[in-house]
Amino acid sequence: MELGVQYLFVALVLVGGGMAALSRHVLYNIVGLGISLFGMAGLFLQLGSPFVAAMQLLIYLGGITVAIVFAMMLSIAMTLDPPTRTPVKTGFAAVAALTFGVGLHGLIGTASFAAAPPAPTDAWAVAHIGSALLERYNLVFETLSVVLLLAIIGAILIARPDRRGDAA
Amino acid sequence: MEPLSLILLTTVAPLVAFTLAILFLMRQPRLAQVVVIGGGTLSLAGAALLLFQGPMAPLRYLWFTSGDMALRFGFLFDGISLMFGVAVALITLCVMVYSLGYMGHDPSKTRYFAMLALFEWAMLSFVYAVDLLQSFIFWELVGLASFFLIGFWYERPSATAAAKKAFLMTRVGDVGLFIGVLLVLQVAGHFDIPGLLAADTGLVAQAQPAVLTMITLLIFVGIVGKSAQFPLHTWLPDAMEGPTPVSALLHSATMVAAGVYLMARLHPLFMGSETTLGVILVIASITALLAATMAMVATDIKKVLAYSSISQLGFMLLGLAAGSLFAGVFHLLTHALFKALLFLCSGLFIHHFESNDLAQIGRSGGRRMPFATAGLLVGGAALAGIPPLGGFFSKEEIFAALGHGGVTIYSIVALLAAFLTAYYTFRMIFLVTRPTHMEETAHDHAHGHGRAEPWSMALPVLLLTVGAAIAGFWGGAIARGLGIDAAHHSLASMAPAVLVVIAGVLLAWMDFGRQAAARTGFIARIPAVEKLFSNGWYVDAFYDAVVVRATMLIATILHAVENKLFDGSFDRLGFSVLGIGAGATRLQNGWVQFYAGWTVILIGVAAAYFGMGG
Amino acid sequence: MNLESFLLLSLVLFSLGLFAVLAHRNLIAVLIGVELMMNAASLNLMAFNRFSVTDPVTGQVFVLIIIGLAAAEVAIFLSIILNLYRTRRTIDAEQLTELKG
């Protein structure tokens, strides 16, 4: 049963990823991305972290995917009329991705990863993440908040229409 | 009132004024002026009340901890910060009021006043900072605010270039400072300034001598950039592109003073390393002398003042490095007053005659402006070191500190620089106030209409004139504020300083003051030397020739390598693909995806190679 | 499932994302590829966190920060796309060839 659920999520990730990467229509890409992200959240749950899984659903599936849909609707031209692909370029991209994947697979094969004893279950409690974020990783946390603020301001500045008409 | 509310009044009032002005008052410049000047007044009141209460225990508030490192924000109330805080607030307020008249017709007044408020906030927070990292943050903010103000007239290419130059050159120093600050963390584990300075548990006791030397040298690199010392001094004369009140602010109490202030703040650390002190003495004396020679031949009134600032900053560092905290801080404070005064006076002339040229101002009747002339005389005399004005006593302290262990090369250099200071200062005064009769009549009453000196501009000048005149007598009070006994110097020990000043003034009189004088200066008789001086010893030219060109050369070589080697090989690869007949496009087709693809393939091949155990 | 199978899954997902980035003409589809690659990295970290780290907090924090950065990155990317679309009426990667040599 447990294993079945796991394989279901893996299948979701792979099918969604395939749709997101291979389809020519951008709407299918987005749906694929959503499916893949959902499967990923399930895998996070299986890997023992309900909190990260919930964040994945909230931020990625609920926020980022919706933002992408908005962007698609605001720049509608290519959505209505999917562009054609040249076989040369597709082939080139496939070769590049395959070379990379095979190379990296070889590299993974050479590494050996020491297995650690499973941590006690209470080590996975959300409270630990919270205190780690505010104590040990405080600087990272603060930096990330600054980055997000800058990203918001930057996004507004870039996307805003020039009201004055000059290149400000 | 308790210190917390006072310090918040001092530091936060300008920030609030800045925020209000920049966010809400862009279209109401009059209201923005009121808000900013109100903020400056509150800030001055807060700083003055703090000074009145005297030194207190510092306040510290935890910002956050990360790992073992705790970052604190807080405020330090000792003699240096209290006195300098008042000086900053006072001079900023003078400049703000003065700007009412000077910038009265500028279309973007709000932006100007908002930036002044930002500048004041950054500088005051820097002055009172208790934490070295906090100091660094506000140190950078000071640099940013001065960048905005130097480049205020951004439609002029020269102004934007000067702003960029100022920002980049001080950044060069800041890299050193930042590494120094990080080293402090590495050695001491905290940034708390009183903790670092403590005699028994502080950095001097903790660090290896070599490490301490390294830290102080790195911090000094930051000071060299900020306080425009040789060889990073060339940004300061260019920074004259900003509005004149900004120059007054930049040169007296903020920006360049930040460097000297930091050294005074960390004085015990510097005293712990003989090597660093030696380096500082050499750099500062070179700067003092070099800048003075450049001021001798400058024809632009603001350039003369700019070079004199560089030179006087060298004097301050000389005093600090000679071991006398009092000498450095005293000169910093008196210099802040009379240099702000001189710049504001030059602004009066420039505003009225629309010319920066010394001789031109003199010919057009500069001496008919009573406030400006009085300010120029008092400020100039203080700069030259005429007793009993401010500059005399503070310079005297520096000479005394330098001559402490017998006459050294440094005290001779300092005397020579003081001689040149008196000479160029009175050259400036004579050129403005004593044009020959023949010259003057030609331009009589060309600018007769309108008041020469509106009250908003005359009042700060008057205030600073009084301040510069009496600043010399505050020495005892300042020494008490620092917790040092001011030594009284005998008349005999003052003699050399007085003599060089008199000599300098006399020489200036011979060259520029008398009715029959040639008005060219003795330097002009040696054209080669004059050329050297007026080109700033070719330091900028050196940068152009060596640094910029070396960079360009490296870039050219790399370009050639890329063209011949990488591009060439890829081109050949591309041609061979074409030759095979697959119809592939050229590699340089501009598609980012194509470039990325090749990168990925190469990484994949490399990964596979290592994966095979190759 | 063990660590190796998770790594393999994330590798496949990463390669798919890479293909999307390289092959799609629509910049939005390119962005989707980038997101796939980021998720693959997150999966990797979570897998290592589960199987070969004693303190499981580190990896979770890492993944949370990746999610936060992804949000920032998407905001910027999308605003660039909107700007491009407004100024040039296209978001076709093959028509944006200013880098042409």
Side-chain angles (χ1 to χ4, degrees):
Chain A
M1 181 61 200
E2 184 76 357
L3 206 62
V5 172
Q6 214 161 44
Y7 282 133
L8 175 69
F9 286 137
V10 171
L12 281 179
V13 168
L14 283 178
V15 170
M19 247 172 101
L22 305 177
S23 169
R24 215 155 51 83
H25 198 296
V26 73
L27 198 57
Y28 291 158
N29 294 147
I30 297 177
V31 173
L33 179 68
I35 295 173
S36 178
L37 292 176
F38 183 79
M40 193 73 80
L43 284 180
F44 287 171
L45 200 61
Q46 295 285 310
L47 284 169
S49 178
F51 181 66
V52 177
M55 285 301 113
Q56 172 89 0
L57 283 180
L58 266 180
I59 301 176
Y60 252 119
L61 208 53
I64 294 180
T65 316
V66 171
I68 295 177
V69 172
F70 266 117
M72 183 198 79
M73 292 195 300
L74 287 173
S75 54
I76 203 81
M78 289 184 87
T79 316
L80 295 177
D81 185 18
T84 51
R85 270 190 209 153
T86 52
V88 175
K89 189 179 174 194
T90 314
F92 171 73
V95 167
L98 267 181
T99 317
F100 188 84
V102 169
L104 212 58
H105 185 70
L107 205 57
I108 292 173
T110 62
S112 66
F113 303 108
T121 37
D122 72 313
W124 290 82
V126 184
H128 291 289
I129 302 179
S131 52
L133 274 180
L134 290 181
E135 282 161 13
R136 210 161 118 216
Y137 300 108
N138 197 334
L139 191 60
V140 189
F141 190 66
E142 294 286 337
T143 314
L144 182 62
S145 65
V146 174
V147 169
L148 280 170
L149 176 69
L150 290 181
I152 293 168
I153 298 174
I156 293 172
L157 275 182
I158 296 171
R160 177 183 71 159
D162 286 332
R163 273 170 302 176
R164 284 168 294 175
D166 56 7
Chain B
M1 280 160 75
E2 54 179 319
L4 177 61
S5 40
L6 282 178
I7 187 68
L8 286 183
L9 184 69
T10 310
T11 53
V12 175
L15 176 64
V16 172
F18 162 73
T19 319
L20 284 178
I22 203 82
L23 287 185
F24 304 114
L25 299 174
M26 275 320 250
R27 294 202 174 73
Q28 287 112 307
R30 288 191 167 278
L31 198 55
Q33 288 173 349
V34 172
V35 166
V36 167
I37 289 183
T41 314
L42 286 180
S43 185
L44 176 60
L49 285 173
L50 277 173
L51 178 64
F52 189 64
Q53 297 199 343
M56 281 168 287
L59 299 170
R60 296 189 187 87
Y61 301 95
L62 188 66
W63 182 21
F64 64 72
T65 54
S66 186
D68 299 331
M69 179 181 65
L71 289 183
R72 289 189 171 80
F73 263 47
F75 305 101
L76 186 58
F77 307 106
D78 64 355
I80 311 177
S81 68
L82 290 175
M83 286 187 290
F84 198 58
V86 173
V88 171
L90 175 71
I91 288 171
T92 315
L93 186 62
C94 283
V95 167
M96 283 172 176
V97 174
Y98 181 90
S99 303
L100 284 179
Y102 194 86
M103 303 296 284
H105 303 296
D106 200 280
S108 31
K109 258 192 292 190
T110 305
R111 183 163 55 93
Y112 174 80
F113 277 93
M115 288 308 158
L116 282 186
L118 175 72
F119 209 165
E120 182 174 21
W121 170 62
M123 190 66 198
L124 282 173
S125 306
F126 167 73
V127 167
Y128 289 107
V130 77
D131 188 281
L132 201 53
L133 195 69
Q134 184 190 0
S135 294
F136 182 75
I137 291 171
F138 286 105
W139 167 282
E140 292 293 351
L141 273 176
V142 168
L144 182 71
S146 61
F147 167 76
F148 286 141
L149 282 170
I150 293 169
F152 176 72
W153 285 317
Y154 58 84
E155 62 273 15
R156 291 189 198 162
S158 58
T160 46
K164 270 185 256 172
K165 185 171 176 183
F167 198 62
L168 290 180
M169 289 202 104
T170 48
R171 296 295 316 172
V172 172
D174 292 348
V175 172
L177 176 63
F178 190 58
I179 299 173
V181 169
L182 290 183
L183 262 181
V184 167
L185 179 70
Q186 168 102 42
V187 174
H190 64 91
F191 287 126
D192 189 58
I193 291 176
L196 292 173
L197 301 184
D200 44 351
T201 56
L203 203 60
V204 179
Q206 268 178 311
Q208 306 275 335
V211 176
L212 186 68
T213 301
M214 196 160 182
I215 289 175
T216 47
L217 275 179
L218 283 167
I219 294 178
F220 181 63
V221 170
I223 295 173
V224 166
K226 203 67 146 192
S227 285
Q229 296 295 293
F230 179 83
L232 294 181
H233 62 272
T234 60
W235 67 266
L236 196 53
D238 286 20
M240 294 295 108
E241 284 294 336
T244 307
V246 169
S247 310
L249 196 57
L250 213 69
H251 283 256
S252 55
T254 56
M255 191 68 184
V256 294
V260 180
Y261 180 81
L262 186 68
M263 176 151 174
R265 176 90 285 162
L266 303 176
H267 197 242
L269 296 190
F270 284 94
M271 293 309 288
S273 169
E274 285 292 325
T275 322
T276 309
L277 288 181
V279 172
I280 298 178
L281 281 173
V282 171
I283 297 268
S285 47
I286 290 177
T287 311
L289 200 57
L290 219 63
T293 61
M294 296 178 206
M296 284 164 62
V297 291
T299 55
D300 181 332
I301 183 166
K302 286 178 80 178
K303 290 256 152 120
V304 174
L305 294 176
Y307 286 126
S308 87
S309 291
I310 299 175
S311 170
Q312 298 303 309
L313 289 162
F315 268 105
M316 294 170 209
L317 291 180
L318 272 179
L320 288 173
S324 171
L325 179 65
F326 172 57
V329 174
F330 191 20
H331 197 52
L332 179 63
L333 290 169
T334 55
H335 174 260
L337 283 173
F338 66 68
K339 188 50 67 67
L341 170 64
L342 282 171
F343 266 110
L344 293 186
C345 288
S346 78
L348 282 175
F349 291 127
I350 295 169
H351 190 66
H352 189 62
F353 297 117
E354 285 159 12
S355 166
N356 287 11
D357 188 78
L358 281 168
Q360 175 75 37
I361 292 172
R363 277 199 298 273
S364 311
R367 60 177 171 168
R368 297 217 190 82
M369 300 175 69
F371 289 107
T373 312
L376 186 72
L377 279 175
V378 172
L383 170 62
I386 305 250
L389 294 167
F392 170 73
F393 290 104
S394 50
K395 263 189 218 169
E396 173 53 36
E397 284 298 330
I398 293 171
F399 293 135
L402 283 172
H404 194 61
V407 176
T408 58
I409 177 82
Y410 302 119
S411 46
I412 293 171
V413 168
L415 279 176
L416 188 55
F419 164 73
L420 293 178
T421 306
Y423 175 76
Y424 71 67
T425 310
F426 275 84
R427 166 178 176 269
M428 173 177 77
I429 292 178
F430 290 145
L431 277 176
V432 169
T433 60
R434 295 188 58 83
T436 54
H437 291 313
M438 198 172 56
E439 288 174 334
E440 199 182 18
T441 44
H443 294 260
D444 218 8
H445 296 296
H447 297 267
H449 52 82
R451 265 196 66 83
E453 298 153 304
W455 278 110
S456 60
M457 290 163 79
L459 209 60
V461 168
L462 198 63
L463 183 65
L464 286 175
T465 307
V466 175
I470 59 173
F473 302 110
W474 295 342
I478 291 170
R480 270 197 305 283
L482 295 174
I484 301 168
D485 289 328
H488 289 280
H489 305 296
S490 64
L491 276 179
S493 71
M494 293 186 183
V498 179
L499 284 179
V500 293
V501 169
I502 292 175
V505 174
L506 275 182
L507 188 57
W509 172 259
M510 296 300 287
D511 279 352
F512 298 100
R514 323 175 272 145
Q515 226 17 267
R519 285 180 171 66
T520 45
F522 67 95
I523 290 300
R525 271 163 237 148
I526 320 166
V529 178
E530 191 195 20
K531 204 148 167 270
L532 179 70
F533 288 177
S534 60
N535 283 302
W537 292 76
Y538 295 102
V539 174
D540 253 352
F542 171 81
Y543 284 151
D544 270 350
V546 178
V547 181
V548 176
R549 209 164 294 163
T551 316
M552 296 298 269
L553 185 68
I554 294 170
T556 315
I557 292 171
L558 289 180
H559 183 71
V561 168
E562 187 192 299
N563 260 344
K564 298 270 153 54
L565 206 66
F566 297 116
D567 272 12
S569 56
F570 277 131
D571 278 350
R572 231 162 288 140
L573 196 61
F575 289 141
S576 55
V577 171
L578 270 177
I580 291 162
T585 44
R586 287 185 307 136
L587 274 168
Q588 292 270 350
N589 56 8
W591 296 356
V592 183
Q593 290 171 318
F594 216 69
Y595 301 155
W598 278 113
T599 316
V600 165
I601 288 178
L602 288 179
I603 295 174
V605 169
Y609 175 74
F610 289 113
M612 303 298 173
Chain C
M1 284 174 71
N2 57 2
L3 179 61
E4 273 70 25
S5 48
F6 274 109
L7 290 185
L8 187 64
L9 176 61
S10 112
L11 182 63
V12 171
L13 202 60
F14 193 92
S15 301
L16 279 173
L18 204 51
F19 174 79
V21 169
L22 295 180
H24 280 296
R25 290 176 62 175
N26 190 334
L27 282 180
I28 294 181
V30 170
L31 172 65
I32 288 171
V34 173
E35 294 305 316
L36 282 181
M37 284 153 65
M38 272 199 167
N39 266 281
S42 299
L43 183 63
N44 242 355
L45 288 166
M46 286 300 284
F48 277 118
N49 191 41
R50 171 74 180 74
F51 293 109
S52 60
V53 173
T54 42
D55 178 18
V57 166
T58 318
Q60 295 186 62
V61 168
F62 209 142
V63 171
L64 286 177
I65 283 160
I66 289 181
I67 293 177
L69 279 180
E73 169 250 338
V74 165
I76 295 290
F77 199 113
L78 290 181
S79 61
I80 292 175
I81 288 179
L82 290 185
N83 196 334
L84 276 176
Y85 185 70
R86 211 180 40 243
T87 52
R88 301 164 177 246
R89 292 280 131 199
T90 180
I91 49 168
D92 186 343
E94 295 183 11
Q95 290 179 22
L96 303 170
T97 53
E98 264 74 15
L99 281 178
K100 193 169 189 155

